[in-house]
Amino acid sequence: MPSTLRSYRHFPVWPLGVILALLTPSPAAAVSDYHGLVVSVLDGDTIEVLHKQHPERIRLSGIDCPEKGQAYGHQAKQATSAMVFGKEVLLQTYGRDRSGHILADVRLPDGTHVNHTLVKNGWCWWYRRYAPRNTELARLEQTARETKQGLWVSPTHIPPWEWRKRTR
C-alpha cells in the first residue's frame, strides 16, 4: 500500500458524514415554491400548510406579529386567519428559522401578498433583524404607523422580540 494511502487509514469517517448531512438540504427546504391548503393559524405570523398530505409549519418571512398574550396578538391572529385559513396559498420559501420552521412569503391565488398585507394593515412589525433590506416592508410599516392602522392606533408599542425577552 502506498504511504499516502496508509496515512489516511486512521482518519475518522464520521466528520465527513456530518458535513455532508449539513450541506444536504432537507426535502422541504429544497422546494422553492409550492402550493398548499392552510389547515391552521397558530398566531399572526405562523401557519400550517398541507404539503404532500402533511402539515408543514410556516413562519411568514420578514414580519413579526404580537405574541399570544401580548396586546394585539389575538387581533393579528384573527387578521391572518381571515385571510388564509382554509385557502390554497402559494409559498415562496427561504429556508428555515432557528426553530426549524419554513420561512416563506405567502400569496393568495388572487396575488395578495399576505406578509405585506399584515404589515400594511398594522398587525405586525417589519422584522428588521431578519429582513434588513426589505424596503417594501419598511415603507408599508411606516405608512401603517402614520395612518394609525391596527396596533399603531395605540400610543405604546412593545415589539414582540422585546416582549419575548421580558417574559422569559
Side-chain angles (χ1 to χ4, degrees), residues 41 44 73-84 114 118 121 123:
V41 176
H74 181 71
Q75 291 92 328
K77 179 181 176 180
Q78 283 184 318
T80 302
S81 189
M83 271 196 287
V84 301
V114 175
L118 289 168
N121 293 341
W123 297 120

Side-chain angles (χ1 to χ4, degrees), residues 2-22:
S3 62
T4 54
L5 289 178
R6 224 177 334 187
S7 63
Y8 290 107
R9 188 172 60 194
H10 297 292
F11 183 76
V13 177
W14 70 266
L16 181 59
V18 170
I19 292 168
L20 287 174
L22 290 172

Side-chain angles (χ1 to χ4, degrees), residues 23-136:
L23 293 176
T24 304
S26 68
V31 177
S32 60
D33 290 332
Y34 65 92
H35 292 269
L37 180 70
V38 177
V39 294
S40 179
V41 176
L42 296 130
D43 59 29
D45 53 31
T46 309
I47 63 176
E48 285 188 339
V49 175
L50 278 184
H51 183 236
K52 298 179 181 176
Q53 280 102 29
H54 298 327
E56 292 270 8
R57 193 158 289 184
I58 308 298
R59 174 80 164 71
L60 278 68
S61 180
I63 68 171
D64 201 4
C65 289
E67 297 292 331
K68 294 174 189 170
Q70 183 179 3
Y72 296 98
H74 181 71
Q75 291 92 328
K77 179 181 176 180
Q78 283 184 318
T80 302
S81 189
M83 271 196 287
V84 301
F85 183 72
K87 297 180 182 170
E88 189 80 15
V89 294
L90 172 65
L91 303 173
Q92 181 177 5
T93 65
Y94 299 101
R96 294 185 180 267
D97 68 7
R98 292 184 300 177
S99 301
H101 306 144
I102 296 170
L103 288 167
D105 283 342
V106 179
R107 294 182 192 269
L108 297 174
D110 67 3
T112 300
H113 193 301
V114 175
N115 310 45
H116 289 181
T117 303
L118 289 168
V119 176
K120 177 184 174 186
N121 293 341
W123 297 120
C124 57
W125 278 258
W126 159 43
Y127 207 173
R128 291 161 180 80
R129 180 175 177 188
Y130 293 107
R133 292 180 194 88
N134 194 320
T135 57
E136 181 64 10

